[in-house]
Amino acid sequence: MKIIVQPNYEALSKRAAEIVREEMEKKRNIVLGLATGSTPLGLYKELIRMHKEEGLDFSQVTTFNLDEYIGIDYDDPNSYHYFMESNLFNHINIDRENTFIPDTNVEDLEAYCKEYDRLIEEKGGIDLQILGIGVNGHIGFNEPDEELKVGTNIVNLTESTIQANSRFFDSIDQVPQNAVTMGIGTIMKAKQIILLASGKSKHEVMKELIKGDKITTQLPASLLLLHPNVTVILDEEAYRG
Ligand code: PGA
């Protein structure tokens, strides 16, 4: 696991965007795994800037998002479909046919989860996966538990995640309790992974992860210690607390 500490959130976002750009330049039809939440916003802003000012080309790029809530309309600003449109896709030249976000409005969700993994494989697998991390160590919505699912799956969100995500909703009761997330195995199959962490609230979990001496399903991000190509980019606040 390569650890890069940046002085602040802006520098972290720029560094992440540089890596994404480098990989996009190496492979024009790259398959990117994308995350939502506050942390990747600066990265997406920088990629949009690179597209607008420097002609970074997304026309051949395919994307797969990590997760989506269950029981949310996609025109709800809190849905991850809406998030991706407003924070990235609307501002770059990506072909919407090549963007995939778990569709939680289908009738047979379990079958759909299998289909999502199959589709990722069909597109050649994820070349570069962007991850945030929950204060509880989740990646995607793979929450700390006795067991973690390998493939894309349906999850019950933990109290800690519902609490953390309630900042985006009018009240905590409105936060969906369930979601579909890529599984740990789906994430681990990505050829390269960048995990981003910013701010004091992530310090405790990052301290544990960076220690790097054990893996446990109670800290889902610790499974990344087994992956051969992970870069962690964090800011001083996340690093030092
Ligand atoms: P955040 O969420 O970027 O909004 O902190 C990260 C996560 O829960 O994975």
Side-chain angles (χ1 to χ4, degrees), residues 36-40 132-135 138-141 161 165 167-168 202:
T36 49
S38 312
T39 315
I133 183 168
V135 287
H138 74 201
I139 48 176
F141 273 136
T161 295
N165 290 4
R167 68 190 194 278
F168 300 114
K202 301 289 168 69

Side-chain angles (χ1 to χ4, degrees), residues 133-136 198-206 237-238 241:
I133 183 168
V135 287
N136 64 1
S198 166
K200 283 189 175 34
S201 68
K202 301 289 168 69
H203 174 62
E204 283 307 320
V205 73
M206 291 312 292
E237 284 194 347

Side-chain angles (χ1 to χ4, degrees), residues 24 27-32 34 57-63 92-99:
M24 283 175 66
K27 187 174 180 186
R28 284 170 54 81
N29 62 344
I30 194 168
V31 179
L32 295 175
L34 299 179
D57 179 19
F58 289 82
S59 62
Q60 310 288 313
V61 173
T62 296
T63 64
I92 56 175
N93 66 331
I94 198 157
D95 181 347
R96 293 300 200 288
E97 297 272 299
N98 296 337
T99 64

Side-chain angles (χ1 to χ4, degrees), residues 14-73:
K14 290 205 161 129
R15 186 64 188 267
E18 283 303 331
I19 298 175
V20 174
R21 170 161 61 187
E22 261 169 45
E23 295 306 316
M24 283 175 66
E25 283 169 354
K26 276 190 225 157
K27 187 174 180 186
R28 284 170 54 81
N29 62 344
I30 194 168
V31 179
L32 295 175
L34 299 179
T36 49
S38 312
T39 315
L41 278 174
L43 159 65
Y44 296 155
K45 273 209 183 93
E46 183 61 11
L47 290 175
I48 292 166
R49 190 200 63 72
M50 288 172 168
H51 167 67
K52 293 205 152 106
E53 293 177 14
E54 294 160 17
L56 185 64
D57 179 19
F58 289 82
S59 62
Q60 310 288 313
V61 173
T62 296
T63 64
F64 284 93
N65 266 77
L66 282 168
D67 44 20
E68 177 60 285
Y69 291 120
I70 294 175
I72 198 161
D73 288 337

